[in-house]
Amino acid sequence: AGANIGLTALYYINLYPTARVLAIEPEPSSFEMLCKNVASYPQIVPIRAALWDTPTTLEVVGIPGFYGAVRVQRSGQKDGLPVLGQVRTVTMSQLMAEYQLDFIDRLKMDIEGAEKEVFATALPWISRVGVIIVELHDRFRPGCSHNFSIATRSFEVKWHRGEHVIVARRGLVAEDVP
């Protein structure tokens, strides 16, 4: 989630060529480039949406092309960033049902603050994820780290690697999670 132009999706599909990768990106120009970049990889499914806690429509705001400068928000919020358009949202439960996912081996998330909402409603799906790699953005939405910590309390292994927080089910070690 927060696939941007697809570089991480390409990394993972080359590392795990038999996997299926859902690449979720809300920003229109990044999504267009994502689609071009992954076109020759049928195992990568680009999805133009924002990951959220409920099905709705959100505003995409920010400055395209600047790292970390694009995020989603409820309509009418005033934070000084230009509105780039609207985007539908999807929930983890919706994705898992629609794509018939009984279990997610790796969930990589860089969703610029929306992790606050996503992890606030994680109970229906969190037990069906093996590893979560996330960037937490409390600077955009205070409470992201708190909600993540509560949602992932059953994960036995936790560590940081750079700006990523990684949690895993017992039996996995850091070397197993690129």
Side-chain angles (χ1 to χ4, degrees), residues 64-142:
F66 287 94
Y67 180 75
V70 175
R71 56 185 179 267
V72 296
Q73 66 183 22
R74 289 181 175 88
S75 295
Q77 271 184 250
K78 303 290 184 207
D79 67 0
L81 292 171
V83 176
L84 305 173
Q86 304 283 316
V87 68
R88 75 180 176 101
T89 64
V90 293
T91 68
M92 286 297 300
S93 294
Q94 279 180 300
L95 287 171
M96 292 179 85
E98 182 177 340
Y99 291 94
Q100 301 172 353
L101 304 173
D102 294 325
F103 194 81
I104 296 173
D105 295 310
R106 305 280 189 275
L107 175 59
K108 168 83 167 61
M109 235 186 251
D110 183 1
I111 53 177
E112 307 303 325
E115 60 272 14
K116 178 179 180 180
E117 286 77 12
V118 171
F119 286 108
T121 57
L123 191 57
W125 56 266
I126 196 85
S127 65
R128 298 186 293 147
V129 178
V131 175
I132 301 173
I133 305 156
V134 65
E135 288 184 34
L136 297 168
H137 297 89
D138 288 280
R139 68 187 181 277
F140 298 143
R141 284 205 183 93

Side-chain angles (χ1 to χ4, degrees), residues 12 103-109 115 119 122 125-136 144-178:
Y12 277 116
F103 194 81
I104 296 173
D105 295 310
R106 305 280 189 275
L107 175 59
K108 168 83 167 61
M109 235 186 251
E115 60 272 14
F119 286 108
W125 56 266
I126 196 85
S127 65
R128 298 186 293 147
V129 178
V131 175
I132 301 173
I133 305 156
V134 65
E135 288 184 34
L136 297 168
C144 293
S145 295
H146 175 76
N147 288 357
F148 175 76
S149 180
I150 290 170
T152 60
R153 65 183 171 269
S154 67
F155 286 72
E156 300 92 354
V157 182
K158 300 178 182 195
W159 69 96
H160 288 80
R161 183 175 283 169
E163 59 191 1
H164 296 109
V165 178
I166 305 163
V167 296
R169 305 281 176 198
R170 186 156 309 281
L172 296 173
V173 294
E175 293 77 30
D176 291 332
V177 184

